[in-house]
Amino acid sequence: MSIALGLFTIFAVVAGAFFFLAGTVGLLRFPDPLTRLHALTKADNLGLGLVVIGLLPQVAWPLGAIKLIAIWLIVLFAATTVSQLMARAARDGGPPV
Amino acid sequence: MISTTTLFGLSSVILVGLGLFGLIVNPQPLRKILAFNLLGSGVFLLFGVIARRGAGAGLNSDPVPQALVITGLVVAFAATALAVALLLRLFQETGQAITLDTEDPSIHAPARSNDP
Amino acid sequence: MTIPDLLLAAAVFVLATVALGMVRILRGPAAADRMMAAQLFGTGGIAALLLLGVATEANAVLDVALVLALLAAFASVAFVQGASHPDGDDSKETHSE
Amino acid sequence: MTLALAVDIGLTLLVLAVACWTLAVRDTFTSVIGFVAYGLLLALIWVRLAAPDVALTEAAMGSGLTGLLLLGAAARLQNAKNISAPPGLALRWVAGVLCALVSAGLAAMVLLLPDPAPTLAPAVVAHLPATGLGNPVTGVLLAYRAIDTLLEAVVLLPALLGVWSLAADRDWGGAPRLRYHRPDGALTLLAQVLPPFGIIVGIYLCWNGADQPGGAFQGGAVLAAMWALILTAGLAEAPPVSRRWLRWLLVAGSAVFLVIGLAGIGFADAFLAYPAGYAKPLILTIELVLTLSIAVALGLLIAGPPTRTPS
Amino acid sequence: MMQDPSNLLVLALVLPVAGLLLALVVGGRYAGRIALWLMPVGLAIAVMLVVSVIRADDALVYDLGGWMPPLGVALRADGLSAIFILTTVAVIGATGIFARTEFRTLPGQPETRTSLTFWALLLALWGALNLVFLSNDLFSLFVALELLTFSAIPLVCLDGRAGTLAAGLRYLLFALFGSVLYLLGAVLLYGAYGTLDIGLLSGLVRPEPVAWGAAALMTVGLMAKTALFPLHFWLPPAHAGAPAAASAVLSALVIKASLFLIVRLWFDAMPALMNPTAAQVLATLGAAAILFGSVLALRQARLKLLIAYSTVAQIGYLFLIFPLIVRPESGSFAAADLYTELAATVVSTSAWSGGVLQAVSHAFAKAAMFMAAGLIAQSLGHDRIADLSSIGRALPITVLAFALAGMSLMGLPPSGGFAAKWLLLTATIETGQWWWALVILGGGLLTGGYLFRVLAPALFGSRQSVTLRAPVARYREVVVLALALCSVLLGFVRLGAFDLVQIGRLAKAGMGLP
């Protein structure tokens, strides 16, 4: 059982880390803000999500798990809000900083 | 092999140097406030390293410096808030321009009398 | 390789990708681009923190990540708002949507 | 080289890079983003230094609230012209050499620190049972060095009065105004969804602080951030600074602390001492009230001076 | 519980803090009343403290929370603390009476901005000063310094004009820079010795690199807060637009607090480091401050700025005590034979007493001068020195007070300033350091010069009549005169009274002092 959970953790965390890499590459290589945004939001939320899922078996139940999921939900929610605001800023061609 | 505490200890003193440099060299008040925070965090980090070095009695770190750093962080925040409020008010008073130059002519103007 | 080792390795990897993303903060060109990089930085930082904490069995790390997630969300929003409406006094506000 | 050390080296390089960049970058607003990222990295370093209480404070206060404050200021100052001239090349060099010397000197001292390091950890642990607490850091903050914590709560009041004193005379008694952005659906949604989470986390941190990492300052900072979010989104108005209840909230923490401390002279033979057996409940009482007062004080520090003329 | 005199230490600390909390809650016109009612209580506590210290003939110590250092924090009142606490309450009390009507809320009116902030911050400032003089822990002292800064700066820029705000911001940045350096030093000391308690440190600190580094950092940081040359830039602009009451406490008390800490640091926390070279360096900076500040004071066109530069100069005298206590030829304290040890007794006593007397008499004199300048500016609508002709005829009491305070500043007999400078001169002759005597005498002449610039036209101006724009309340003039008289009358205090300074000196055993 614990071996299976361990494998699950390994798999999910590695996959999560891969999505972080993908997000970064997208952020660096895509041509314009909106496509970069696309790469970023998909990747970093999935990345964190997979890391969180992978870590679930490794933390104390239930408080640790609740905290992990809460962290993911908060980040997901914030990222959604922020990306909408950013997309609007990008569309309006906000002032270059 | 270099130890964690030495590594963080050395980076904390570099942060102190960087913060000092920013505080002295940067003319913009907001950047000076930022540099002050950088400088402060370097000092706190050094204290954290000292705490870590003092691990013992079943604790991974000496709790006294940790508690003091918490106090220090709160005080630094209060300082930043006061400085930012002063800066924003100064901006409001002067319109567009902000200066902290010593050669500010206005200080040599006569004091405003406060009679009604 | 044990699970904690793997988690640590994953933390290093995520930190490295996040560092790579900083290039985007440097290059910009638009405010939104810097913003996205900062957003990635926040999510990646939280992921690295979780990985580190679980690897070293420091339970309090979950609390740290929770606080970080809450405040990073707010900071991102404040940033987007500040960057897209620089002269942010609502007395002069004209809503154009 | 162990993996843990690799993490530490990576963190060190990253934090130094971000710090340099924060200082070097031209645009102030971008520099503040750098600072927020820097705070996040510092929280990670505090975790690596086995100081989760400090990591929490850094996340909430050092990076979170300070970042918010600076972001707000940078946004407002974007049109500000700086009419003071940047220092000349000579001064830069002198300052650079000076700071490098300071760093080098400090580095030498860090390397010269005694080994084994002097520590108060055994003393803290030895007396912790007398306080009934499980978290040694809280023990230091609320028992051994309670005076520092009391003063730290008090320090926020002059700082806040200082901020308030920057109001225009006609606005005195009015309310601060944090909402300087246009109303926005996404922001409103965030301000509706996030605060319930945040309030739970804040209370949890305060409550947990007696035995686990956390405490009044961390909890208060999270609560303050949530309040500021609600104000920023325009879902609520900041209260006028003349309100009596607001003043009571502000001083309640320090006042309760002071009263319990003074009661210690009579019941426990010293100012700020707790009677045997009552230490933990008294400390928890202080922490709870303190959390509330700190949250209000920090929130008002972010909100700034009153800018609305009282009606 | 009142039988134990060490409870006075707690009371001295709690009283202003409780006053701050109360003033903030009730606000309105009660804020001022609370402050003014607490001041006599504070005065009584301070007097009782002085009496208790003399009676005990030793320092009073209070372990807060019953926890002994190094784990806990101790309050400690020696003779030096007692004198400064008494001076503080006297000057703050006078400031309170002086500012009573200026910062009041009229009955039936809503609370005004200045009426709440002034009184609440004055109480906070008082509490911070008492803590600086009482705390025996380097970190509590850091918090106290910050409390002091946060209370002093808003007081200074209460008028809200751009110039004042810029000066306030610069002051804040200097002060924060100073406290960070101070904290860095304290951190290093903890890293090396594992305690922040001054008493424990005094026995632990060895002349080694870490201790030297800490001492240097802390001294530079505190110098920035004291406005010692060449870190004095922030002080004169801060005074330029400050209310007279705020200027009075800033120059008289606030900058003395960080100076007090420098003295605590070198003589109490790290006596092993106090060697002739360090002492000469500090005194050289002091001498530079005396000359530089005086010359700049001579060139000012505004009365307030003249007084502010005079503060820069007068602070310098206090740094001259270092080489007078640490004699250059002996090299180290421990290695002195019986004869020189006896000589050290005499010399250090007069240098100590002179230094303390200088600090106290300057506090009273400078508070009086700033308040007098405030009254003059208020009644004339300006404070241009060139246009002060014959003001003595219109405001005789104010100008008399200014002249008396000036007398003390110049060191004319029989004032407190004279006694202080006389003691310092005696110490220079006895230790054979005549060059510092020249500095003291030269500084006195320059002080006479810049005060003459003000007093000569004010007293003997040719203008027939001066029209005042606003009348000056008599009681305010009386307060100013009382402060000036205090400064002069200190010269009549039996010098033996200043043996109080020696009570509870931490390092006396280690240094061969009495």
Side-chain angles (χ1 to χ4, degrees):
Chain A
M1 187 58 196
S2 72
I3 292 176
L5 282 180
L7 282 176
F8 172 74
T9 296
I10 291 173
F11 175 76
V13 166
V14 167
F18 168 76
F19 273 103
F20 271 105
L21 179 67
T24 306
V25 170
L27 188 65
L28 292 178
R29 299 299 305 271
F30 281 1
D32 63 286
L34 285 179
T35 48
R36 284 183 214 138
L37 185 61
H38 170 84
L40 169 77
T41 51
K42 293 290 174 297
D44 78 343
N45 297 323
L46 258 180
L48 184 66
L50 284 166
V51 168
V52 162
I53 291 173
L55 291 179
L56 276 180
Q58 310 294 327
V59 298
W61 188 266
L63 197 57
I66 293 174
K67 282 184 198 164
L68 270 180
I69 292 171
I71 291 167
W72 185 38
L73 285 179
I74 290 169
V75 171
L76 199 60
F77 188 72
T80 320
T81 315
V82 170
S83 40
Q84 202 208 335
L85 292 169
M86 273 191 296
R88 202 181 298 159
R91 188 197 60 195
D92 296 349
V97 169
Chain B
M1 190 83 253
I2 191 164
S3 70
T4 298
T5 48
T6 315
L7 186 69
F8 286 145
L10 293 179
S11 53
S12 75
V13 303
I14 296 176
L15 288 176
V16 168
L18 286 173
L20 265 183
F21 183 73
L23 199 58
I24 297 171
V25 167
N26 208 311
Q28 300 178 43
L30 190 61
R31 301 296 289 272
K32 278 192 195 287
I33 297 171
L34 226 147
F36 156 73
N37 272 293
L38 224 55
L39 173 58
S41 69
V43 176
F44 295 143
L45 199 56
L46 180 58
F47 216 4
V49 167
I50 284 168
R52 183 76 181 85
R53 285 166 44 88
L59 298 178
N60 286 325
S61 173
D62 183 354
V64 172
Q66 290 188 48
L68 300 184
V69 168
I70 291 174
T71 308
L73 278 168
V74 177
V75 172
F77 173 77
T80 309
L82 185 57
V84 162
L86 264 170
L87 178 56
L88 288 177
R89 180 68 210 273
L90 183 60
F91 173 61
Q92 207 185 336
E93 279 292 309
T94 52
Q96 300 293 302
I98 302 173
T99 180
L100 285 183
D101 288 347
T102 333
E103 299 309 315
D104 180 1
S106 67
I107 70 160
H108 296 290
R112 184 171 58 185
S113 64
N114 41 4
D115 51 345
Chain C
M1 193 175 213
T2 59
I3 288 185
D5 278 348
L6 182 113
L7 295 183
L8 273 182
V12 175
F13 181 81
V14 171
L15 272 179
T17 49
V18 159
L20 209 60
M22 272 182 54
V23 175
R24 187 46 82 189
I25 304 193
L26 288 175
R27 290 211 330 230
D33 296 307
R34 295 175 199 275
M35 184 53 227
M36 282 179 231
Q39 168 77 21
L40 178 70
F41 205 96
T43 319
I46 291 167
L49 184 59
L50 288 175
L51 290 166
L52 267 180
V54 178
T56 51
E57 293 179 39
N59 286 327
V61 159
L62 293 183
D63 294 339
V64 180
L66 203 52
V67 170
L68 219 46
L70 276 170
L71 283 142
F74 187 6
S76 312
V77 174
F79 171 70
V80 183
Q81 289 269 320
S84 46
H85 316 299
D87 194 26
D89 201 333
D90 65 4
S91 56
K92 312 176 203 160
E93 152 189 315
T94 47
H95 211 279
S96 57
E97 304 260 334
Chain D
M1 182 161 91
T2 64
L3 265 171
L5 194 61
V7 174
D8 294 343
I9 291 176
L11 269 176
T12 304
L13 292 177
L14 211 53
V15 89
L16 291 179
V18 175
C20 287
W21 180 72
T22 302
L23 288 176
V25 69
R26 270 193 116 123
D27 177 68
T28 303
F29 203 77
T30 320
S31 162
V32 177
I33 315 175
F35 182 76
V36 175
Y38 172 80
L40 188 144
L41 290 171
L42 273 187
L44 272 134
I45 290 186
W46 284 111
V47 169
R48 292 294 304 146
L49 284 171
D53 294 88
V54 185
L56 273 172
T57 319
E58 176 68 49
M61 200 96 65
S63 133
L65 291 187
T66 310
L68 278 178
L69 203 60
L70 294 174
L71 275 173
R76 286 210 206 168
L77 292 176
Q78 273 188 350
N79 292 334
K81 278 195 289 289
N82 203 293
I83 55 175
S84 34
L89 198 63
L91 181 72
R92 275 166 184 277
W93 270 101
V94 172
V97 170
L98 192 76
C99 297
L101 282 177
V102 169
S103 280
L106 285 172
M109 285 172 221
V110 168
L111 297 174
L112 282 173
L113 284 178
D115 203 22
T119 174
L120 292 177
V124 171
V125 172
H127 294 104
L128 205 56
T131 65
L133 297 169
N135 181 359
V137 177
T138 306
V140 177
L141 280 173
L142 270 300
Y144 312 134
R145 299 187 62 108
I147 183 74
D148 286 347
T149 312
L150 170 61
L151 289 169
E152 176 188 7
V154 171
V155 153
L156 293 175
L157 300 176
L160 181 61
L161 277 167
V163 170
W164 282 0
S165 78
L166 297 167
D169 275 322
R170 64 173 181 285
D171 293 337
W172 186 258
R177 176 166 47 188
L178 196 61
R179 187 167 66 90
Y180 45 84
H181 303 310
R182 46 176 110 178
D184 188 298
L187 180 64
T188 311
L189 187 65
L190 189 76
Q192 283 165 336
V193 174
L194 214 51
F197 278 102
I199 290 167
I200 293 171
V201 172
I203 295 169
Y204 167 79
L205 283 178
C206 162
W207 182 252
N208 215 13
D211 296 313
Q212 302 291 320
F217 289 98
Q218 294 90 337
V222 172
L223 292 181
M226 292 305 116
W227 190 30
L229 176 60
I230 294 172
L231 295 181
T232 309
L235 292 180
E237 300 287 350
V241 299
S242 55
R243 287 282 180 277
R244 190 57 54 85
W245 63 263
L246 185 74
R247 305 272 179 92
W248 271 114
L249 270 180
L250 277 172
V251 303
S254 318
V256 167
F257 207 155
L258 204 58
V259 167
I260 291 181
L262 284 173
I265 301 184
F267 295 102
D269 298 328
F271 179 55
L272 292 173
Y274 306 104
Y278 292 95
K280 191 168 178 184
L282 287 175
I283 287 175
L284 276 179
T285 313
I286 293 172
E287 285 234 73
L288 282 178
V289 188
L290 212 51
T291 306
L292 208 59
S293 289
I294 289 169
V296 176
L298 295 177
L300 288 171
L301 277 174
I302 296 177
T307 52
R308 252 191 281 245
T309 312
S311 47
Chain E
M1 84 185 213
M2 283 327 304
Q3 275 74 39
D4 183 4
S6 63
N7 277 322
L8 287 170
L9 276 63
V10 173
L11 276 183
L13 194 60
V14 166
L15 186 78
V17 171
L20 163 69
L21 300 181
L22 205 59
L24 184 55
V25 170
V26 297
R29 56 207 186 91
Y30 298 103
R33 288 186 192 178
I34 289 169
L36 287 170
W37 276 111
L38 286 183
M39 280 160 193
V41 184
L43 184 64
I45 293 175
V47 170
M48 277 155 71
L49 189 66
V50 170
V51 171
S52 307
V53 169
I54 293 175
R55 205 175 277 165
D57 197 22
D58 197 6
L60 302 176
V61 181
Y62 193 99
D63 291 326
L64 290 165
W67 301 104
M68 301 251 294
L71 194 55
V73 176
L75 299 180
R76 186 173 183 281
D78 55 13
L80 203 59
S81 323
I83 291 175
F84 274 95
I85 284 181
L86 188 59
T87 310
T88 299
V89 71
V91 172
I92 292 229
T95 309
I97 300 172
F98 179 81
R100 194 167 59 92
T101 45
E102 197 177 349
F103 300 105
R104 71 173 162 193
T105 300
L106 297 168
Q109 295 291 309
E111 174 186 282
T112 60
R113 178 180 67 96
T114 49
S115 69
L116 176 75
T117 45
F118 177 80
W119 296 108
L121 290 171
L122 192 64
L123 286 166
L125 190 109
W126 183 18
L129 285 165
N130 279 355
L131 184 64
V132 168
F133 299 136
L134 287 177
S135 173
N136 213 27
D137 181 277
L138 293 181
F139 190 82
S140 291
L141 286 168
F142 164 75
V143 181
L145 283 175
E146 295 294 62
L147 189 60
L148 194 60
T149 304
F150 296 164
S151 343
I153 286 170
L155 280 180
V156 162
C157 40
L158 218 49
D159 89 344
R161 287 189 308 160
T164 318
L165 291 168
L169 187 53
R170 187 176 324 112
Y171 175 13
L172 179 58
L173 288 170
F174 258 90
L176 292 178
F177 164 80
S179 4
V180 168
L181 287 195
Y182 170 86
L183 183 64
L184 185 53
V187 165
L188 286 173
L189 286 179
Y190 187 91
Y193 306 108
T195 181
L196 292 167
D197 183 76
I198 291 179
L200 293 173
L201 279 174
S202 71
L204 290 170
V205 175
R206 301 269 148 272
E208 53 189 339
V210 178
W212 278 112
L217 287 165
M218 294 169 102
T219 308
V220 172
L222 291 170
M223 268 165 47
K225 282 176 171 273
T226 312
L228 178 66
F229 175 85
L231 295 172
H232 64 279
F233 295 109
W234 60 267
L235 181 86
H239 275 301
S247 276
V249 287
L250 178 63
S251 251
L253 303 172
V254 174
I255 56 172
K256 302 270 170 31
S258 33
L259 179 94
F260 177 90
L261 277 189
I262 297 181
V263 171
R264 267 267 183 277
L265 221 56
W266 284 96
F267 290 111
D268 291 351
M270 309 190 249
L273 297 190
M274 191 70 234
N275 71 8
T277 317
Q280 295 289 331
V281 169
L282 286 171
T284 308
L285 288 174
I290 294 175
L291 300 177
F292 192 80
S294 301
V295 170
L296 277 175
L298 270 172
R299 298 177 45 195
Q300 295 306 310
R302 280 187 54 198
L303 185 55
K304 286 198 86 175
L305 286 172
L306 180 143
I307 307 173
Y309 277 106
S310 155
T311 297
V312 172
Q314 295 289 321
I315 281 294
Y317 285 104
L318 300 171
F319 283 83
L320 293 184
I321 67 164
F322 290 94
L324 301 182
I325 293 171
V326 185
R327 290 157 305 127
E329 72 273 18
S330 83
S332 114
F333 308 100
D337 60 28
L338 187 66
Y339 174 74
T340 48
E341 205 165 300
L342 279 174
T345 308
V346 178
V347 170
S348 58
T349 307
S350 50
W352 268 113
S353 306
V356 172
L357 194 53
Q358 164 71 11
V360 174
S361 68
H362 175 253
F364 284 114
K366 207 35 83 65
M369 285 177 119
F370 269 116
M371 288 181 195
L375 290 180
I376 292 173
Q378 189 198 349
S379 58
L380 289 183
H382 70 81
D383 67 342
R384 285 185 302 277
I385 296 171
D387 299 329
L388 292 181
S389 180
S390 302
I391 183 74
R393 243 168 251 162
L395 296 170
I397 303 180
T398 306
V399 174
L400 174 65
F402 190 92
L404 285 175
M407 206 172 101
S408 184
L409 227 51
M410 281 183 259
L412 293 183
S415 63
F418 165 73
K421 275 148 200 157
W422 180 256
L423 284 166
L424 290 175
L425 279 174
T426 314
T428 57
I429 305 303
E430 283 171 8
T431 51
Q433 303 180 68
W434 51 270
W435 52 93
W436 299 131
L438 287 185
V439 172
I440 293 171
L441 292 172
L445 283 178
L446 284 168
T447 313
Y450 61 72
L451 289 175
F452 185 73
R453 276 187 61 215
V454 180
L455 286 172
L459 291 171
F460 314 113
S462 55
R463 201 147 34 125
Q464 284 310 307
S465 67
V466 180
T467 45
L468 297 184
R469 287 180 29 180
V472 167
R474 181 56 52 88
Y475 78 91
R476 302 181 85 183
E477 290 196 297
V478 171
V479 170
V480 180
L481 188 62
L483 281 170
L485 279 175
C486 278
S487 171
V488 171
L489 292 179
L490 277 171
F492 291 101
V493 174
R494 222 164 30 85
L495 281 181
F498 281 86
D499 289 348
L500 174 58
V501 175
Q502 296 299 329
I503 295 180
R505 300 240 32 84
L506 260 178
K508 60 184 174 188
M511 288 172 61
L513 298 183

